[in-house]
Amino acid sequence: MKAFKLVILFPLLFVVLAGYSQNNRKLYRIGKKSFNDGNYKIAKNFFTQSIEADSSLLKVFLIRAEASEKIETFEDAVSDYKQAILMDKKEESHYFNAGRLLLALEKYQESIFYLKKTTELDEKYIQAYQLKVNAFMKLEMYEEAIVEAEEALMLEKNALNYYNHGLVSYYLKDFKVAEADFNYAITFNENYIEAYIELAKSLLQQNRYEDALNNCNIVIELNPLTKDIYIVRSEIYHQIADYEKAINDVTTVLTKFSPNDKNLYFKRGKLYQEFNEHKSAINDFCKVISLDKDFCLAYYQRAISYEETLKWAKAVRDYNKFVDISTDNIQISPRKISFAKTKIYELNREANKPEIVIFTPKPNRNGQIEVPLNLDKVIVKGKISDESDIEYLKINGIAYKFSANALNNEFEVELNLQANKSISIITSDIYMNTSVRNFQILSTEIDNPQIHLINPYASDNGEIYLDESNSTVLFIEGKITDESRIKSILIDGTTASYKLDELNPQFTSKVEIGNKKFIEITVEDIYGNKTMSKFTLNREGANLFADNPMGKTWVIFIENSKYRTFASLEGPSQDISLMKSAFSNYRIHKIIHKKNMTKAEMGKFFSIELRDLVKKNRVNSLLVWYAGHGKFIHETGYWIAVDSKRDDEFSYFNINNLKASLHSYSKYVTHTLVITDACESGPSFYMGMRSEPEMKNCGDWEATKFKSSQVFTSAGKELATDKSQFTKTFSNSLKYNPNDCIPIDNIVIKVSKAVSGTGNQKPKFGKIAGMEDENGTFFFIKRE
């Protein structure tokens, strides 16, 4: 019984399938006949039913795409061509038709994609290159368009390909090439109207007006109803100042083709205006405004013509309207807006006096200008406010000339306080409206106090790095510098401890920080000058050295580049930026960057300031990096301060002084490393190598816990250069280090090898003479 059912099943299935197939063919035949009869919408419906019955027939998708295109449902046509591509990926015409229709739908990027696929399958598919030119032109991608145009020309030299190439060349402003291309196009097709038009435009760009006019006249002879040629010819007539003919051509277009084109009325109005026919110009601008009440330039141009016809009130009205609707319009030139405002003022003419305002130093309530007692000169900054231009400004009888970039009549003048006990300012606008203001100078101190944190140390950007991330109490110690006594010092609203009668007092305070992100220190002197500084609490710093075998690690950069008598350098700034970038991936707790230090500043910094900072902040590892000029004279190395004199050895910073300073606080520091990429530091600074550099590791407790006092110098020519292979290799050694840490010994090997062939550079590495060294070494530990 089961076998009998199976035998019956196959004939039934065959009958059903045959029925479906026969029905599908019938639907396709009906659709094809409707298509041939021009009933494309009906045909499309039958093709859709056919596809629903059987979606495997490529020909049905293709003819439905044609039907969709006939009834201008391009999206549907594109969809069918994309389906055809999936069914036959090697047929280039499917890609072409999809790209062609996407171009018509203004989907230019997608169109280019399919057209490129077309030429990949068939390198000689010339229509695809032509359409790619059009698509790239629409996207204003002219460099890409010219490549496709040249490809098309290589395949076939015909009128259209030369025209396309010329059109792209025109937009690339290669008018000579464009001219030649359009002439070639006309050679192939002497009735090619578009080529004549573009040729005329190319000739116009070359100021060949007669030739351009001849081409315009040819087009008009071929087809008098060519709208664009009248616009082109009008512009040519405009360039040669034949205003009547220029106006006539625009009028022809308005009469025959575009009676409501606001831009053409505006164009003709400006031509009338240049031709000194202001009444006709006003009529055209009125027409523009009737078509578009927000056409701001029409008000501007109409105002000019009203002014020329002595209709002052109407001119003011239009200038005001122009300013109102164009102020926020980025397409309108600010000069036009400024000109309109000036015209409004001139036509209204006012009698207001200029207003004199002093910004710095700001006068007090009694009209007195307060200046510090110890100043010999004062810079007075102010502003003259007026609706019109300023005719003159005199300060204490001396005429002041505004700088070219002065905004809103702002001024700045330096006065000698010995010769001037008062300030008299007199100013007048272009209408001789005059203002006078007198200010008495009161000698007093008005500078704001300066806040300097000693402990904990604060970075230049106001960050305080905490040593313990879980600390809730912070002990603060600092100093105030000011020319007068201090009235109050508040830390987060609480008064700090300091001596009231002491100038530049030191202060201390214990602050509950808990979950605070920052603290505020506010200082006010007895004259009411107030400074408020916000310091950010950075708890990440504690983690940098909590499990760091090198402990708290500081880097000191000394960058000397702006010299007074030696050649200035750009290299130090670049080198230090490079090193800062390299150190960013390592556990460096603090970077101090000093620039352009004098000899006195270098001596004070190393002997006092850095000593105190190292001691108070319990620094374990200290790296000092110098970049700048150097000298080596009579077995003594020098760093060149920015105020050093070329022939005065005493004005140089003696490296022995640096060594003495480092020695004075070496008892607080486990690891000291001095790196100088500037000069031959001299045998007085370092001792010979202990041995060949060893490949040490971070797990070597002796290397990290035992003291080290090391120096690494480029030891090159006396004066620095702006290109340092020494620094570059040092930086790269850190940057590309794959390990958790890298010892200085390893970097020394890499740097020495890299610079060995660069001339006189012979890097030297050793320990600092006279300083304690227990054969430890300086490690750079990576951040986690």
Side-chain angles (χ1 to χ4, degrees):
M1 190 66 181
K2 290 180 181 179
F4 176 76
K5 287 183 179 179
L6 186 61
V7 170
I8 294 299
L9 180 62
F10 280 109
L12 286 173
L13 180 60
F14 177 79
V15 170
V16 171
L17 291 175
Y20 274 123
S21 177
Q22 192 172 24
N23 184 53
N24 185 34
R25 286 197 297 271
K26 182 178 179 182
L27 291 168
Y28 175 75
R29 285 198 303 272
I30 296 171
K32 186 70 178 291
K33 183 178 185 308
S34 298
F35 183 89
N36 292 334
D37 291 342
N39 298 320
Y40 303 115
K41 189 171 183 179
I42 294 173
K44 181 180 177 180
N45 290 333
F46 279 107
F47 294 142
T48 300
Q49 293 179 52
S50 174
I51 289 170
E52 289 172 352
D54 183 1
S55 62
S56 65
L57 296 176
L58 174 60
K59 65 179 182 179
V60 185
F61 283 100
L62 292 175
I63 196 169
R64 186 173 71 170
E66 290 184 54
S68 295
E69 185 174 355
K70 293 288 186 182
I71 60 176
E72 298 185 357
T73 55
F74 298 134
E75 293 279 6
D76 292 344
V78 170
S79 179
D80 280 343
Y81 282 125
K82 287 181 178 180
Q83 182 61 37
I85 290 170
L86 294 175
M87 300 172 75
D88 185 0
K89 295 182 180 180
K90 294 184 178 181
E91 176 53 49
E92 62 271 14
S93 64
H94 303 337
Y95 293 95
F96 175 76
N97 285 321
R100 174 176 58 81
L101 292 172
L102 285 165
L103 180 61
L105 289 167
E106 300 182 358
K107 296 183 177 181
Y108 304 121
Q109 290 285 11
E110 193 177 0
S111 170
I112 290 168
F113 172 80
Y114 284 99
L115 293 171
K116 281 186 175 180
K117 287 289 186 181
T118 306
T119 54
E120 287 173 7
L121 291 170
D122 183 356
E123 294 179 351
K124 296 183 179 181
Y125 208 120
I126 192 167
Q127 296 94 331
Y129 291 108
Q130 293 166 341
L131 293 185
K132 277 193 279 182
V133 172
N134 295 340
F136 279 124
M137 289 284 286
K138 291 291 186 181
L139 293 170
E140 298 183 5
M141 298 170 66
Y142 303 122
E143 295 291 346
E144 291 80 357
I146 200 71
V147 173
E148 303 298 335
E150 288 171 354
E151 289 286 348
L153 267 177
M154 289 176 64
L155 290 173
E156 183 178 344
K157 291 179 172 51
N158 60 29
L160 177 58
N161 289 340
Y162 273 116
Y163 174 81
N164 283 343
H165 193 273
L167 196 60
V168 182
S169 298
Y170 179 88
Y171 280 97
L172 288 171
K173 301 188 184 304
D174 197 344
F175 304 118
K176 286 279 187 186
V177 172
E179 176 191 351
D181 284 334
F182 295 134
N183 274 318
Y184 280 126
I186 292 167
T187 300
F188 280 93
N189 180 4
E190 61 182 11
N191 295 322
Y192 204 152
I193 288 176
E194 290 82 1
Y196 282 110
I197 294 173
E198 297 302 327
L199 176 58
K201 290 165 65 176
S202 299
L203 293 167
L204 172 60
Q205 291 293 336
Q206 300 176 64
N207 300 327
R208 292 164 57 187
Y209 304 119
E210 186 174 349
D211 293 337
L213 284 172
N214 288 338
N215 278 278
C216 291
N217 293 333
I218 291 172
V219 173
I220 292 172
E221 288 178 9
L222 290 172
N223 184 2
L225 298 179
T226 305
K227 171 186 173 181
D228 292 343
I229 199 63
Y230 293 101
I231 302 298
V232 175
R233 192 170 70 172
S234 172
E235 183 57 34
I236 298 169
Y237 284 135
H238 181 205
Q239 291 298 316
I240 61 177
D242 193 340
Y243 289 102
E244 287 190 18
K245 290 181 179 179
I247 291 168
N248 287 339
D249 276 344
V250 178
T251 301
T252 298
V253 178
L254 283 169
T255 303
K256 293 184 177 181
F257 306 104
S258 305
N260 292 314
D261 190 326
K262 62 183 179 182
N263 293 311
L264 285 176
Y265 280 109
F266 183 75
K267 180 181 180 67
R268 191 173 68 175
K270 291 190 69 177
L271 288 170
Y272 275 128
Q273 205 169 56
E274 290 183 37
F275 196 39
N276 208 29
E277 290 284 346
H278 290 287
K279 290 185 178 180
S280 297
I282 290 170
N283 289 335
D284 275 349
F285 295 135
C286 287
K287 180 67 175 178
V288 174
I289 293 168
S290 71
L291 294 169
D292 181 359
K293 62 181 177 61
D294 293 323
F295 201 121
C296 55
L297 286 176
Y299 293 100
Y300 179 85
Q301 297 299 145
R302 189 171 70 175
I304 292 173
S305 289
Y306 276 139
E307 198 174 348
E308 290 294 329
T309 56
L310 308 181
K311 296 180 179 178
W312 314 119
K314 290 185 177 181
V316 169
R317 181 194 64 194
D318 275 357
Y319 279 130
N320 272 313
K321 183 66 175 178
F322 167 73
V323 171
D324 289 342
I325 65 177
S326 65
T327 299
D328 296 327
N329 189 338
I330 60 174
Q331 295 180 336
I332 301 301
S333 166
R335 288 187 177 183
K336 278 188 169 58
I337 298 173
S338 177
F339 176 80
K341 289 180 178 179
T342 300
K343 281 293 184 181
I344 293 167
Y345 176 69
E346 289 177 349
L347 294 171
N348 284 323
R349 195 168 187 84
E350 51 81 34
N352 296 325
K353 293 182 179 181
E355 180 184 0
I356 301 171
V357 179
I358 300 296
F359 298 144
T360 306
K362 191 173 182 179
N364 61 22
R365 294 178 181 178
N366 298 321
Q368 298 169 315
I369 291 180
E370 299 175 330
V371 296
L373 288 167
N374 59 345
L375 289 186
D376 296 325
K377 297 177 180 179
V378 64
I379 295 177
V380 179
K381 296 180 182 180
K383 174 182 175 181
I384 306 300
S385 299
D386 198 60
E387 298 174 61
S388 59
D389 292 335
I390 299 301
E391 182 69 18
Y392 67 84
L393 168 65
K394 291 183 179 180
I395 301 175
N396 282 5
I398 299 174
Y400 179 87
K401 186 177 180 180
F402 292 104
S403 60
N405 59 353
L407 298 176
N408 300 319
N409 298 325
E410 294 182 0
F411 63 87
E412 179 177 326
V413 64
E414 184 179 85
L415 294 177
N416 187 316
L417 294 177
Q418 300 299 321
N420 296 279
K421 301 303 180 182
S422 63
I423 301 174
S424 176
I425 300 176
I426 179 170
T427 186
S428 178
D429 63 20
I430 57 175
Y431 301 117
M432 302 311 294
N433 299 312
T434 303
S435 292
V436 178
R437 287 199 69 183
N438 295 306
F439 303 91
Q440 288 296 121
I441 296 177
L442 177 65
S443 295
T444 185
E445 189 273 318
I446 62 170
D447 288 339
N448 291 330
Q450 299 296 310
I451 302 169
H452 308 278
L453 282 190
I454 299 173
N455 184 38
Y457 183 80
S459 63
D460 293 340
N461 62 356
E463 277 192 300
I464 294 177
Y465 290 82
L466 300 179
D467 290 346
E468 299 178 8
S469 59
N470 58 353
S471 177
T472 60
V473 177
L474 181 65
F475 177 76
I476 295 177
E477 180 181 1
K479 184 177 181 179
I480 305 300
T481 57
D482 194 49
E483 296 179 37
S484 56
R485 292 194 303 276
I486 300 302
K487 178 181 178 182
S488 65
I489 303 175
L490 300 176
I491 303 178
D492 283 350
T494 302
T495 301
S497 175
Y498 72 100
K499 293 182 178 180
L500 293 175
D501 58 348
E502 184 177 73
L503 283 174
N504 301 323
Q506 289 190 324
F507 66 90
T508 58
S509 180
K510 286 186 178 180
V511 181
E512 294 284 342
I513 55 175
N515 295 321
K516 289 183 179 179
K517 295 182 179 179
F518 58 86
I519 61 171
E520 286 184 353
I521 301 179
T522 304
V523 181
E524 184 178 356
D525 67 18
I526 59 174
Y527 292 113
N529 304 308
K530 185 182 293 185
T531 296
M532 191 282 286
S533 294
K534 181 182 288 188
F535 297 90
T536 303
L537 300 176
N538 189 333
R539 291 178 169 82
E540 294 180 1
N543 299 325
L544 287 176
F545 62 92
D547 58 349
N548 182 357
M550 296 296 290
K552 185 183 292 186
T553 303
W554 281 23
V555 173
I556 313 299
F557 283 117
I558 308 297
E559 174 197 335
N560 279 357
S561 57
K562 304 298 182 184
Y563 288 93
R564 300 174 189 175
T565 60
F566 287 81
S568 292
L569 299 168
E570 293 183 7
S573 177
Q574 298 167 0
D575 292 344
I576 289 176
S577 294
L578 200 64
M579 291 309 305
K580 282 184 177 180
S581 176
F583 284 144
S584 65
N585 294 321
Y586 289 81
R587 295 189 183 187
I588 305 299
H589 181 248
K590 177 62 190 163
I591 291 177
I592 298 177
H593 185 181
K594 295 288 186 178
K595 293 184 179 181
N596 300 316
M597 301 184 77
T598 64
K599 178 184 177 183
E601 289 171 341
M602 293 171 77
K604 182 179 180 182
F605 175 73
F606 284 113
S607 63
I608 299 175
E609 294 176 4
L610 184 57
R611 178 200 65 195
D612 293 344
L613 289 171
V614 166
K615 180 180 177 181
K616 290 180 181 296
N617 291 277
R618 301 190 298 280
V619 177
N620 303 106
S621 300
L622 182 67
L623 186 156
V624 177
W625 183 295
Y626 174 77
H629 283 311
K631 279 279 190 180
F632 178 47
I633 303 172
H634 301 304
E635 299 302 317
T636 301
Y638 294 95
W639 287 348
I640 305 301
V642 293
D643 62 342
S644 295
K645 299 176 182 178
R646 278 188 170 275
D647 300 322
D648 184 2
E649 183 179 349
F650 184 74
S651 67
Y652 307 159
F653 179 70
N654 193 319
I655 294 179
N656 287 324
N657 294 336
L658 170 65
K659 183 175 67 174
S661 297
L662 294 175
H663 187 271
S664 70
Y665 43 92
S666 62
K667 60 184 177 181
Y668 307 115
V669 178
T670 303
H671 299 284
T672 302
L673 174 60
V674 177
I675 298 174
T676 171
D677 186 12
C679 66
E680 173 67 65
S681 54
S684 62
F685 191 57
Y686 65 87
M687 295 178 62
M689 302 274 284
R690 298 171 231 170
S691 61
E692 289 298 319
E694 303 173 9
M695 302 297 286
K696 299 183 179 181
N697 61 71
C698 303
D700 185 350
W701 68 274
E702 292 184 348
T704 58
K705 299 302 180 184
F706 282 15
K707 272 185 174 289
S708 67
S709 300
Q710 297 163 287
V711 57
F712 186 31
T713 172
S714 62
K717 298 178 181 178
E718 288 184 342
L719 293 181
T721 64
D722 273 333
K723 292 184 179 180
S724 173
Q725 183 64 42
F726 180 93
T727 300
K728 181 179 179 182
T729 306
F730 201 114
S731 171
N732 287 339
S733 299
L734 292 169
K735 184 177 179 180
Y736 299 113
N737 167 38
N739 302 317
D740 292 336
C741 74
I742 183 171
I744 183 62
D745 313 69
N746 195 336
I747 296 175
V748 167
I749 294 172
K750 295 179 184 294
V751 173
S752 299
K753 183 177 179 181
V755 303
S756 61
T758 59
N760 294 328
Q761 283 214 343
K762 295 178 181 178
K764 293 186 178 181
F765 175 58
K767 63 182 180 181
I768 301 174
M771 291 183 64
E772 185 178 359
D773 188 289
E774 300 173 333
N775 203 33
T777 199
F778 201 103
F779 281 95
F780 297 95
I781 313 295
K782 273 191 174 180
R783 291 173 179 265
E784 293 182 357

